[in-house]
Amino acid sequence: TAPELIRNFSIIAHIDHGKSTLADRMLQLTGVVDQRQMRAQYLDRMDIERERGITIKSQAVRMPWEEEGVAYALNMIDTPGHVDFTYEVSRSLAACEGAVLLVDAAQGIEAQTLANLYLAMENDLTIIPVLNKIDLPAAQPEKYAEELAKLIGCEPEDCLKVSGKTGMGVEALLGEIVRKVPAPVGNPDAPARAMIFDSVYDTYRGVVTYVRVVDGMLHPRERIALMSTKTTHELLEIGVSSPEPVPTKGLGVGEVGYLITGVKDVRQSKVGDTVTNNAKPASEALEGYREPLPMVFSGLYPIDGSDYGPLREALDKLKLSDAALVYEPESSVALGFGFRCGFLGLLHLEIVRERLEREFGLDLISTAPNVVYEVTMEDRTQITVTNPSEFPGGKIDEVREPVVRATMLAPSEFIGSIMELCQERRGALRGMDYLSEDRVEMRYTLPLAEIVFDFFDQLKSRTRGYASLDYEPDGDQVAKLVKVDILLQGEPVDAFSTIVHADKAYSYGVMMTGKLRKLIPRQQFEVPIQAAIGARVIARETISAIRKDVLAKCYGGDISRKRKLLERQKEGKKRMKMVGRVEVPQEAFIAALSSD
Ligand code: GTP
């Protein structure tokens, strides 16, 4: 297809404003998916995506569309809406010339509407403002058209009004995309350059790499070179997703499609890399992307120790399709052998964990998530701490923790509640703007550690669900942080060590020792449970001694019943972990770790 007839666009929106539903309607209207094959959220292929109703991986689809007698090819790139996956949004946007900015007409502008709009503007995209869900009785399209127009600097009449559910206005939107989004420009005679914007692992086809061609042309069977990894591969197949894969004779300027080279690991076909022709290579690579960095770490342990090998294999497999996941082996007194894993955020953690349990049948326990700390000792040595139990003792000069710039949008009646919450979480107010009379945008600097711990739930509950949140990394800050250890009979239990602000150390200590006292069964001797900062004990509970005798419950008599009880006790013993002389059922550790 000639570049003049191509339109590359993305749909960007706050979570749940209806991107996937609108994409479904477009697939139907353009005829690439027929009625019979249609199912809700066609593009969300992972089970988890469908169940949770969220988009995790980006997708690109080519759709034919005729406008005023001219046949166009529209490439729609669907993007995820959740903060953890912002990096996927930005790389998809770099492959487009335009973006449909979708706003729920019953909700108005939300935090990720802004965040995504800014990303689109950074990429110089043409923005098409659209109000969605106008079929809802609660929709106020006129009111929010004003808000949206003010935000992007257009007239309220320029905002299209659609319903992804009924299909109303979607045809007009496709026409608007053809008219407003610029055609891609590039040099067809230059050496080929294509940008990798996604790389997914497919069990049958190996790695499928999604590209946007900028200059020249790529053909099947030719040898390509990846400019940053300097590897070469034969192009086994090249094609477009429509949305099922359709092989083609080549991809030219402005086209979006997929490549298959037989590579088995997504890391060999890196997002952000430039694909060129090996025989006639381009001299300069295209501008790449920022690599996503893990922000949150947690230990993942198999509940059954013999699942350690399978867990490693499962992580290796997931890594093939999720370049952002990092992990390395670690061991813990309480939990045995497992892995310390790095994630983009809490949702990423939950999804990885759920996939491990569901797709690989593993039972897992994860330790409380923590962020990465930079510790400078008085002798100037630097230590990076990704696991609280590695936090150094000795003379510490300073500890730095990552902070984020958070944006919250809410009805103005909740300003007080939001300020209170941010205060509790060591936030610093950066600014506040009224988007309209009754909606306000608040900007805070907050420690990432305070956000990863139920911040979003608290924000939602204190604003009756009306506030929205978006955040991005914003460097780090010095903070008064300490490590709190939990000791059983004087022995530290590594899985419970945590790094907290000095002001919160006491309440963590009291909470954890109290919880463990209830969970750990009595032993034949007294067991002190202590919380300590270094050698200083800040909280203490005691489990008093008892002679544990399951047979005490049976009065003489029934021998078979006695045997059963003894057997059950033996089985229980296998799952006991020894901490010094103290026997602790693994369930106690699991319960203590998971209840918050
Ligand atoms: P993510 O993929 O998680 O970013 O969400 P999304 O923006 O794709 O939202 P999705 O399409 O999953 O829609 C969210 C919810 O809104 C679903 O329950 C849809 O059924 C509903 N919805 C979407 N569009 C419309 C619409 O036009 N009208 C009405 N009434 N409901 C809609």
Side-chain angles (χ1 to χ4, degrees):
T1 309
E4 309 83 74
L5 300 177
I6 298 175
R7 300 291 182 270
N8 296 322
F9 72 98
S10 239
I11 305 175
I12 53 178
H14 187 73
I15 193 157
D16 282 344
H17 280 203
K19 271 191 323 280
S20 303
T21 309
L22 178 64
D24 285 351
R25 285 299 84 66
M26 290 183 170
L27 294 179
Q28 261 178 322
L29 259 177
T30 56
V32 298
V33 178
D34 66 33
Q35 211 64 40
R36 206 159 27 85
Q37 298 166 306
M38 195 64 211
R39 51 172 199 257
Q41 305 205 330
Y42 192 89
L43 296 176
D44 291 347
R45 281 150 194 261
M46 274 195 262
D47 283 348
I48 298 178
E49 292 186 310
R50 306 179 67 80
E51 270 167 38
R52 295 188 173 213
I54 54 171
T55 306
I56 298 163
K57 292 295 285 187
S58 320
Q59 289 278 350
V61 195
R62 180 182 171 118
M63 306 178 290
W65 185 249
E66 205 171 288
E67 192 67 25
E68 287 164 16
V70 184
Y72 291 89
L74 307 182
N75 290 309
M76 170 173 60
I77 299 175
D78 192 22
T79 58
H82 191 275
V83 276
D84 279 11
F85 303 102
T86 300
Y87 83 105
E88 298 235 357
V89 180
S90 63
R91 65 199 207 192
S92 304
L93 292 184
C96 301
E97 279 76 33
V100 170
L101 181 66
L102 198 64
V103 172
D104 187 327
Q107 306 276 325
I109 293 162
E110 296 286 2
Q112 281 138 41
T113 315
L114 292 184
N116 287 325
L117 172 65
Y118 298 148
L119 284 177
M121 287 170 34
E122 275 168 29
N123 283 288
D124 291 323
L125 303 192
T126 298
I127 313 283
I128 300 182
V130 176
L131 290 160
N132 190 27
K133 308 199 189 181
I134 53 165
D135 60 291
L136 286 177
Q140 294 176 277
E142 306 311 326
K143 174 178 171 191
Y144 293 122
E146 295 261 337
E147 231 180 76
L148 195 51
K150 197 169 122 198
L151 178 68
I152 62 175
C154 65
E155 296 303 317
E157 303 77 61
D158 296 338
C159 299
L160 298 191
K161 300 181 179 74
V162 308
S163 162
K165 188 170 175 185
T166 66
M168 199 199 309
V170 180
E171 235 180 284
L173 171 56
L174 290 169
E176 187 84 351
I177 291 168
V178 167
R179 282 187 298 274
K180 288 264 179 76
V181 176
V185 283
N187 182 355
D189 304 317
R193 288 201 298 177
M195 172 169 55
I196 301 182
F197 66 87
D198 202 7
S199 222
V200 299
Y201 179 76
D202 181 296
T203 329
Y204 303 105
R205 304 192 291 167
V207 170
V208 181
T209 301
Y210 290 91
V211 295
R212 145 82 197 249
V213 178
V214 174
D215 294 319
M217 186 140 186
L218 292 170
H219 304 91
R221 294 286 144 200
E222 71 189 8
R223 245 192 131 65
I224 54 162
L226 297 178
M227 295 185 76
S228 85
T229 57
K230 305 216 164 37
T231 52
T232 71
H233 307 275
E234 192 190 340
L235 260 189
L236 302 178
E237 187 183 321
I238 183 165
V240 296
S241 311
S242 197
E244 301 310 322
V246 181
T248 60
K249 296 210 170 61
L251 288 178
V253 169
E255 291 199 277
V256 173
Y258 68 87
L259 313 174
I260 293 178
T261 57
V263 164
K264 284 277 177 280
D265 181 339
V266 288
R267 280 167 292 184
Q268 290 169 278
S269 190
K270 249 176 46 194
V271 166
D273 206 347
T274 303
V275 180
T276 189
N277 185 303
N278 192 42
K280 195 182 150 202
S283 53
E284 237 178 281
L286 299 163
E287 205 182 321
Y289 308 95
R290 231 171 350 115
E291 291 227 13
L293 281 181
M295 305 285 283
V296 175
F297 284 78
S298 166
L300 284 184
Y301 291 84
I303 287 182
D304 178 348
S306 66
D307 274 344
Y308 176 76
L311 173 59
R312 187 183 41 217
E313 280 162 32
L315 283 167
D316 287 346
K317 279 232 180 77
L318 282 190
K319 178 81 190 173
L320 294 178
S321 62
D322 185 352
L325 171 68
V326 299
Y327 53 92
E328 56 181 55
E330 74 171 0
S331 67
S332 143
V333 177
L335 303 169
F337 291 97
F339 292 89
R340 177 124 299 246
C341 305
F343 306 93
L344 298 171
L346 278 195
L347 181 69
H348 188 210
L349 186 166
E350 263 182 60
I351 284 166
V352 167
R353 192 181 151 175
E354 204 171 312
R355 291 186 69 187
L356 288 169
E357 298 201 313
R358 195 190 301 204
E359 294 169 31
F360 300 90
L362 297 163
D363 274 331
L364 301 173
I365 171 79
S366 48
T367 61
N370 64 272
V371 301
V372 181
Y373 299 94
E374 294 295 337
V375 182
T376 309
M377 307 301 287
E378 275 181 2
D379 66 6
R380 309 316 300 162
T381 38
Q382 289 273 353
I383 301 168
T384 301
V385 177
T386 57
N387 182 343
S389 68
E390 288 161 3
F391 195 82
K395 295 243 184 308
I396 289 173
D397 181 42
E398 66 174 28
V399 185
R400 306 189 71 87
E401 63 173 347
V403 293
V404 299
R405 189 172 10 189
T407 306
M408 282 156 280
L409 261 67
S412 41
E413 56 181 298
F414 296 115
I415 292 176
S417 325
I418 294 178
M419 284 185 151
E420 203 180 336
L421 172 64
C422 292
Q423 203 93 44
E424 284 167 25
R425 302 301 177 99
R426 302 191 279 128
L429 183 63
R430 287 285 167 246
M432 196 162 99
D433 287 307
Y434 281 84
L435 292 173
S436 62
E437 258 165 44
D438 52 0
R439 275 178 78 72
V440 56
E441 174 190 345
M442 301 170 78
R443 292 181 300 278
Y444 267 89
T445 298
L446 281 154
L448 177 63
E450 300 283 350
I451 289 234
V452 298
F453 209 69
D454 85 340
F455 182 86
F456 189 59
D457 293 340
Q458 282 292 330
L459 180 69
K460 282 285 180 195
S461 77
R462 293 186 195 196
T463 59
R464 296 204 309 274
Y466 279 116
S468 59
L469 164 75
D470 192 80
Y471 58 86
E472 56 181 332
D474 193 26
D476 59 7
Q477 70 180 17
V478 174
K480 252 176 79 189
L481 298 164
V482 293
K483 179 173 72 152
V484 179
D485 288 314
I486 303 292
L487 303 96
L488 279 188
Q489 252 206 345
E491 292 271 339
V493 186
D494 52 7
F496 293 112
S497 292
T498 191
I499 297 167
V500 292
H501 191 261
D503 295 345
K504 292 181 182 171
Y506 176 71
S507 56
Y508 176 81
V510 169
M511 187 262 304
M512 217 35 157
T513 49
K515 234 189 216 179
L516 286 172
R517 186 179 62 80
K518 289 196 206 104
L519 290 165
I520 297 174
R522 291 173 169 197
Q523 316 272 318
Q524 291 176 15
F525 42 86
E526 200 178 84
V527 180
I529 308 172
Q530 296 161 312
I533 300 173
R536 186 161 57 91
V537 173
I538 56 171
R540 178 188 166 118
E541 294 269 358
T542 308
I543 304 172
S544 51
I546 193 189
R547 223 193 120 70
K548 198 164 123 203
D549 184 359
V550 289
L551 298 184
K553 281 193 231 153
C554 311
Y555 338 99
D558 189 350
I559 226 15
S560 72
R561 171 135 185 263
K562 263 188 201 163
R563 199 175 302 127
K564 234 186 235 157
L565 275 169
L566 283 169
E567 239 153 51
R568 202 175 298 155
Q569 190 183 34
K570 211 164 74 197
E571 240 168 56
K573 281 251 167 64
K574 278 192 289 190
R575 317 201 91 196
M576 292 285 180
K577 302 275 175 180
M578 298 298 292
V579 178
R581 281 168 61 216
V582 187
E583 270 187 350
V584 184
Q586 195 180 23
E587 286 76 55
F589 288 131
I590 293 170
L593 279 171
S594 51
S595 50
D596 43 14

PDB file of all heavy atoms in Angstrom, residues 14-21 41 44 53-55 80-81 132-133 135-136 163-165, ligand 1:
ATOM      1  N   HIS A  14      -8.151   6.427  29.665  1.00  0.00           N
ATOM      2  CA  HIS A  14      -8.033   5.984  31.044  1.00  0.00           C
ATOM      3  C   HIS A  14      -8.596   4.560  31.096  1.00  0.00           C
ATOM      4  O   HIS A  14      -9.420   4.189  30.268  1.00  0.00           O
ATOM      5  CB  HIS A  14      -8.845   6.905  31.944  1.00  0.00           C
ATOM      6  CG  HIS A  14      -8.668   6.639  33.403  1.00  0.00           C
ATOM      7  ND1 HIS A  14      -7.513   6.971  34.062  1.00  0.00           N
ATOM      8  CD2 HIS A  14      -9.479   6.076  34.318  1.00  0.00           C
ATOM      9  CE1 HIS A  14      -7.638   6.625  35.328  1.00  0.00           C
ATOM     10  NE2 HIS A  14      -8.818   6.065  35.503  1.00  0.00           N
ATOM     11  N   ILE A  15      -8.157   3.803  32.090  1.00  0.00           N
ATOM     12  CA  ILE A  15      -8.623   2.427  32.218  1.00  0.00           C
ATOM     13  C   ILE A  15     -10.158   2.393  32.310  1.00  0.00           C
ATOM     14  O   ILE A  15     -10.775   3.257  32.935  1.00  0.00           O
ATOM     15  CB  ILE A  15      -7.962   1.768  33.448  1.00  0.00           C
ATOM     16  CG1 ILE A  15      -8.173   0.278  33.425  1.00  0.00           C
ATOM     17  CG2 ILE A  15      -8.428   2.387  34.749  1.00  0.00           C
ATOM     18  CD1 ILE A  15      -7.146  -0.468  34.243  1.00  0.00           C
ATOM     19  N   ASP A  16     -10.749   1.425  31.610  1.00  0.00           N
ATOM     20  CA  ASP A  16     -12.210   1.234  31.609  1.00  0.00           C
ATOM     21  C   ASP A  16     -13.017   2.289  30.859  1.00  0.00           C
ATOM     22  O   ASP A  16     -14.226   2.296  30.950  1.00  0.00           O
ATOM     23  CB  ASP A  16     -12.779   1.149  33.042  1.00  0.00           C
ATOM     24  CG  ASP A  16     -12.530  -0.226  33.627  1.00  0.00           C
ATOM     25  OD1 ASP A  16     -12.221  -1.141  32.840  1.00  0.00           O
ATOM     26  OD2 ASP A  16     -12.636  -0.382  34.845  1.00  0.00           O
ATOM     27  N   HIS A  17     -12.365   3.175  30.156  1.00  0.00           N
ATOM     28  CA  HIS A  17     -13.135   4.143  29.382  1.00  0.00           C
ATOM     29  C   HIS A  17     -13.617   3.567  28.053  1.00  0.00           C
ATOM     30  O   HIS A  17     -14.316   4.227  27.302  1.00  0.00           O
ATOM     31  CB  HIS A  17     -12.360   5.452  29.206  1.00  0.00           C
ATOM     32  CG  HIS A  17     -12.438   6.326  30.425  1.00  0.00           C
ATOM     33  ND1 HIS A  17     -12.245   7.675  30.409  1.00  0.00           N
ATOM     34  CD2 HIS A  17     -12.719   6.005  31.710  1.00  0.00           C
ATOM     35  CE1 HIS A  17     -12.397   8.162  31.641  1.00  0.00           C
ATOM     36  NE2 HIS A  17     -12.668   7.155  32.442  1.00  0.00           N
ATOM     37  N   GLY A  18     -13.206   2.309  27.769  1.00  0.00           N
ATOM     38  CA  GLY A  18     -13.840   1.599  26.659  1.00  0.00           C
ATOM     39  C   GLY A  18     -13.022   1.403  25.393  1.00  0.00           C
ATOM     40  O   GLY A  18     -13.583   1.176  24.327  1.00  0.00           O
ATOM     41  N   LYS A  19     -11.688   1.419  25.519  1.00  0.00           N
ATOM     42  CA  LYS A  19     -10.838   1.210  24.344  1.00  0.00           C
ATOM     43  C   LYS A  19     -11.113  -0.110  23.646  1.00  0.00           C
ATOM     44  O   LYS A  19     -11.329  -0.149  22.446  1.00  0.00           O
ATOM     45  CB  LYS A  19      -9.368   1.156  24.770  1.00  0.00           C
ATOM     46  CG  LYS A  19      -8.685   2.438  24.807  1.00  0.00           C
ATOM     47  CD  LYS A  19      -7.185   2.226  24.965  1.00  0.00           C
ATOM     48  CE  LYS A  19      -6.815   1.082  25.873  1.00  0.00           C
ATOM     49  NZ  LYS A  19      -6.909   1.454  27.293  1.00  0.00           N
ATOM     50  N   SER A  20     -11.058  -1.201  24.440  1.00  0.00           N
ATOM     51  CA  SER A  20     -11.172  -2.523  23.818  1.00  0.00           C
ATOM     52  C   SER A  20     -12.534  -2.691  23.151  1.00  0.00           C
ATOM     53  O   SER A  20     -12.635  -3.283  22.079  1.00  0.00           O
ATOM     54  CB  SER A  20     -10.964  -3.614  24.852  1.00  0.00           C
ATOM     55  OG  SER A  20      -9.722  -3.441  25.470  1.00  0.00           O
ATOM     56  N   THR A  21     -13.575  -2.165  23.772  1.00  0.00           N
ATOM     57  CA  THR A  21     -14.915  -2.274  23.193  1.00  0.00           C
ATOM     58  C   THR A  21     -14.992  -1.498  21.884  1.00  0.00           C
ATOM     59  O   THR A  21     -15.545  -1.982  20.889  1.00  0.00           O
ATOM     60  CB  THR A  21     -15.964  -1.735  24.197  1.00  0.00           C
ATOM     61  OG1 THR A  21     -15.750  -2.374  25.454  1.00  0.00           O
ATOM     62  CG2 THR A  21     -17.369  -2.007  23.729  1.00  0.00           C
ATOM     63  N   GLN A  41     -13.882  -8.116  23.472  1.00  0.00           N
ATOM     64  CA  GLN A  41     -12.454  -7.867  23.648  1.00  0.00           C
ATOM     65  C   GLN A  41     -11.625  -8.831  22.810  1.00  0.00           C
ATOM     66  O   GLN A  41     -10.774  -9.554  23.304  1.00  0.00           O
ATOM     67  CB  GLN A  41     -12.076  -7.959  25.115  1.00  0.00           C
ATOM     68  CG  GLN A  41     -12.926  -7.028  25.955  1.00  0.00           C
ATOM     69  CD  GLN A  41     -12.250  -6.638  27.224  1.00  0.00           C
ATOM     70  OE1 GLN A  41     -11.466  -7.383  27.761  1.00  0.00           O
ATOM     71  NE2 GLN A  41     -12.563  -5.456  27.704  1.00  0.00           N
ATOM     72  N   ASP A  44      -7.812  -8.909  23.245  1.00  0.00           N
ATOM     73  CA  ASP A  44      -7.180  -9.332  24.493  1.00  0.00           C
ATOM     74  C   ASP A  44      -7.085 -10.848  24.488  1.00  0.00           C
ATOM     75  O   ASP A  44      -8.041 -11.535  24.782  1.00  0.00           O
ATOM     76  CB  ASP A  44      -7.990  -8.860  25.708  1.00  0.00           C
ATOM     77  CG  ASP A  44      -7.931  -7.345  25.858  1.00  0.00           C
ATOM     78  OD1 ASP A  44      -7.093  -6.724  25.191  1.00  0.00           O
ATOM     79  OD2 ASP A  44      -8.722  -6.806  26.629  1.00  0.00           O
ATOM     80  N   GLY A  53     -10.659  -8.047  32.232  1.00  0.00           N
ATOM     81  CA  GLY A  53     -11.143  -6.974  31.370  1.00  0.00           C
ATOM     82  C   GLY A  53     -10.124  -5.876  31.174  1.00  0.00           C
ATOM     83  O   GLY A  53     -10.450  -4.719  31.013  1.00  0.00           O
ATOM     84  N   ILE A  54      -8.850  -6.257  31.202  1.00  0.00           N
ATOM     85  CA  ILE A  54      -7.838  -5.239  30.979  1.00  0.00           C
ATOM     86  C   ILE A  54      -6.902  -5.679  29.866  1.00  0.00           C
ATOM     87  O   ILE A  54      -6.790  -6.861  29.580  1.00  0.00           O
ATOM     88  CB  ILE A  54      -6.990  -4.975  32.248  1.00  0.00           C
ATOM     89  CG1 ILE A  54      -6.399  -6.292  32.761  1.00  0.00           C
ATOM     90  CG2 ILE A  54      -7.819  -4.296  33.308  1.00  0.00           C
ATOM     91  CD1 ILE A  54      -5.393  -6.094  33.859  1.00  0.00           C
ATOM     92  N   THR A  55      -6.242  -4.725  29.244  1.00  0.00           N
ATOM     93  CA  THR A  55      -5.302  -5.023  28.186  1.00  0.00           C
ATOM     94  C   THR A  55      -3.899  -4.945  28.758  1.00  0.00           C
ATOM     95  O   THR A  55      -3.561  -3.970  29.411  1.00  0.00           O
ATOM     96  CB  THR A  55      -5.454  -3.993  27.057  1.00  0.00           C
ATOM     97  OG1 THR A  55      -6.818  -3.987  26.670  1.00  0.00           O
ATOM     98  CG2 THR A  55      -4.585  -4.336  25.878  1.00  0.00           C
ATOM     99  N   PRO A  80      -2.228  -0.756  26.376  1.00  0.00           N
ATOM    100  CA  PRO A  80      -2.732  -1.025  27.719  1.00  0.00           C
ATOM    101  C   PRO A  80      -3.009   0.279  28.454  1.00  0.00           C
ATOM    102  O   PRO A  80      -2.394   1.293  28.158  1.00  0.00           O
ATOM    103  CB  PRO A  80      -1.603  -1.788  28.387  1.00  0.00           C
ATOM    104  CG  PRO A  80      -0.393  -1.542  27.570  1.00  0.00           C
ATOM    105  CD  PRO A  80      -0.779  -0.971  26.268  1.00  0.00           C
ATOM    106  N   GLY A  81      -3.916   0.220  29.438  1.00  0.00           N
ATOM    107  CA  GLY A  81      -4.298   1.446  30.122  1.00  0.00           C
ATOM    108  C   GLY A  81      -3.721   1.615  31.521  1.00  0.00           C
ATOM    109  O   GLY A  81      -3.752   2.691  32.069  1.00  0.00           O
ATOM    110  N   ASN A 132     -16.915   8.812  24.680  1.00  0.00           N
ATOM    111  CA  ASN A 132     -17.445   7.458  24.493  1.00  0.00           C
ATOM    112  C   ASN A 132     -18.602   7.195  25.454  1.00  0.00           C
ATOM    113  O   ASN A 132     -18.826   7.964  26.387  1.00  0.00           O
ATOM    114  CB  ASN A 132     -16.313   6.456  24.739  1.00  0.00           C
ATOM    115  CG  ASN A 132     -16.684   5.044  24.333  1.00  0.00           C
ATOM    116  OD1 ASN A 132     -17.517   4.840  23.450  1.00  0.00           O
ATOM    117  ND2 ASN A 132     -16.071   4.069  24.976  1.00  0.00           N
ATOM    118  N   LYS A 133     -19.313   6.115  25.222  1.00  0.00           N
ATOM    119  CA  LYS A 133     -20.413   5.666  26.090  1.00  0.00           C
ATOM    120  C   LYS A 133     -21.557   6.670  26.132  1.00  0.00           C
ATOM    121  O   LYS A 133     -22.185   6.860  27.182  1.00  0.00           O
ATOM    122  CB  LYS A 133     -19.911   5.400  27.523  1.00  0.00           C
ATOM    123  CG  LYS A 133     -18.699   4.467  27.598  1.00  0.00           C
ATOM    124  CD  LYS A 133     -18.526   3.884  28.987  1.00  0.00           C
ATOM    125  CE  LYS A 133     -17.202   3.146  29.118  1.00  0.00           C
ATOM    126  NZ  LYS A 133     -16.987   2.551  30.430  1.00  0.00           N
ATOM    127  N   ASP A 135     -24.335   6.316  25.028  1.00  0.00           N
ATOM    128  CA  ASP A 135     -25.605   5.616  25.240  1.00  0.00           C
ATOM    129  C   ASP A 135     -25.991   5.581  26.718  1.00  0.00           C
ATOM    130  O   ASP A 135     -27.133   5.331  27.069  1.00  0.00           O
ATOM    131  CB  ASP A 135     -25.493   4.191  24.704  1.00  0.00           C
ATOM    132  CG  ASP A 135     -24.404   3.406  25.410  1.00  0.00           C
ATOM    133  OD1 ASP A 135     -23.207   3.724  25.223  1.00  0.00           O
ATOM    134  OD2 ASP A 135     -24.725   2.492  26.186  1.00  0.00           O
ATOM    135  N   LEU A 136     -25.041   5.799  27.619  1.00  0.00           N
ATOM    136  CA  LEU A 136     -25.341   5.725  29.060  1.00  0.00           C
ATOM    137  C   LEU A 136     -26.268   6.865  29.476  1.00  0.00           C
ATOM    138  O   LEU A 136     -26.068   8.000  29.077  1.00  0.00           O
ATOM    139  CB  LEU A 136     -24.042   5.834  29.881  1.00  0.00           C
ATOM    140  CG  LEU A 136     -23.111   4.641  29.920  1.00  0.00           C
ATOM    141  CD1 LEU A 136     -21.851   4.989  30.713  1.00  0.00           C
ATOM    142  CD2 LEU A 136     -23.812   3.439  30.544  1.00  0.00           C
ATOM    143  N   SER A 163     -20.497   5.594  20.777  1.00  0.00           N
ATOM    144  CA  SER A 163     -20.721   4.536  21.750  1.00  0.00           C
ATOM    145  C   SER A 163     -20.086   3.270  21.200  1.00  0.00           C
ATOM    146  O   SER A 163     -20.489   2.775  20.147  1.00  0.00           O
ATOM    147  CB  SER A 163     -22.220   4.311  21.976  1.00  0.00           C
ATOM    148  OG  SER A 163     -22.392   3.045  22.589  1.00  0.00           O
ATOM    149  N   GLY A 164     -19.084   2.794  21.896  1.00  0.00           N
ATOM    150  CA  GLY A 164     -18.431   1.561  21.464  1.00  0.00           C
ATOM    151  C   GLY A 164     -19.383   0.386  21.622  1.00  0.00           C
ATOM    152  O   GLY A 164     -19.265  -0.632  20.951  1.00  0.00           O
ATOM    153  N   LYS A 165     -20.338   0.540  22.521  1.00  0.00           N
ATOM    154  CA  LYS A 165     -21.266  -0.550  22.785  1.00  0.00           C
ATOM    155  C   LYS A 165     -22.284  -0.700  21.660  1.00  0.00           C
ATOM    156  O   LYS A 165     -22.465  -1.785  21.109  1.00  0.00           O
ATOM    157  CB  LYS A 165     -21.974  -0.290  24.111  1.00  0.00           C
ATOM    158  CG  LYS A 165     -22.810  -1.447  24.574  1.00  0.00           C
ATOM    159  CD  LYS A 165     -23.262  -1.211  25.989  1.00  0.00           C
ATOM    160  CE  LYS A 165     -24.197  -2.306  26.446  1.00  0.00           C
ATOM    161  NZ  LYS A 165     -24.722  -2.014  27.779  1.00  0.00           N
TER     162      LYS A 165
HETATM  163  P1  GTP B   1      -8.548  -1.609  29.420  1.00  0.00           P
HETATM  164  O1  GTP B   1      -8.386  -2.583  28.313  1.00  0.00           O
HETATM  165  O2  GTP B   1      -8.428  -2.259  30.743  1.00  0.00           O
HETATM  166  O3  GTP B   1      -7.704  -0.406  29.310  1.00  0.00           O
HETATM  167  O4  GTP B   1     -10.081  -1.105  29.415  1.00  0.00           O
HETATM  168  P2  GTP B   1     -10.800  -0.496  28.188  1.00  0.00           P
HETATM  169  O5  GTP B   1     -10.591   0.976  28.188  1.00  0.00           O
HETATM  170  O6  GTP B   1     -10.454  -1.257  26.987  1.00  0.00           O
HETATM  171  O7  GTP B   1     -12.320  -0.726  28.561  1.00  0.00           O
HETATM  172  P3  GTP B   1     -13.321  -1.838  28.011  1.00  0.00           P
HETATM  173  O8  GTP B   1     -13.505  -1.759  26.543  1.00  0.00           O
HETATM  174  O9  GTP B   1     -12.912  -3.124  28.596  1.00  0.00           O
HETATM  175  O10 GTP B   1     -14.663  -1.291  28.664  1.00  0.00           O
HETATM  176  C1  GTP B   1     -14.803  -1.098  30.044  1.00  0.00           C
HETATM  177  C2  GTP B   1     -16.256  -1.285  30.442  1.00  0.00           C
HETATM  178  O11 GTP B   1     -17.088  -0.297  29.839  1.00  0.00           O
HETATM  179  C3  GTP B   1     -16.829  -2.617  29.982  1.00  0.00           C
HETATM  180  O12 GTP B   1     -17.667  -3.094  31.004  1.00  0.00           O
HETATM  181  C4  GTP B   1     -17.627  -2.275  28.741  1.00  0.00           C
HETATM  182  O13 GTP B   1     -18.702  -3.142  28.541  1.00  0.00           O
HETATM  183  C5  GTP B   1     -18.122  -0.873  29.064  1.00  0.00           C
HETATM  184  N1  GTP B   1     -18.295  -0.065  27.849  1.00  0.00           N
HETATM  185  C6  GTP B   1     -17.389   0.162  26.893  1.00  0.00           C
HETATM  186  N2  GTP B   1     -17.879   0.972  25.929  1.00  0.00           N
HETATM  187  C7  GTP B   1     -19.150   1.267  26.287  1.00  0.00           C
HETATM  188  C8  GTP B   1     -20.178   2.085  25.704  1.00  0.00           C
HETATM  189  O14 GTP B   1     -20.048   2.707  24.664  1.00  0.00           O
HETATM  190  N3  GTP B   1     -21.358   2.136  26.398  1.00  0.00           N
HETATM  191  C9  GTP B   1     -21.564   1.486  27.556  1.00  0.00           C
HETATM  192  N4  GTP B   1     -22.740   1.596  28.139  1.00  0.00           N
HETATM  193  N5  GTP B   1     -20.610   0.723  28.130  1.00  0.00           N
HETATM  194  C10 GTP B   1     -19.423   0.605  27.506  1.00  0.00           C
END
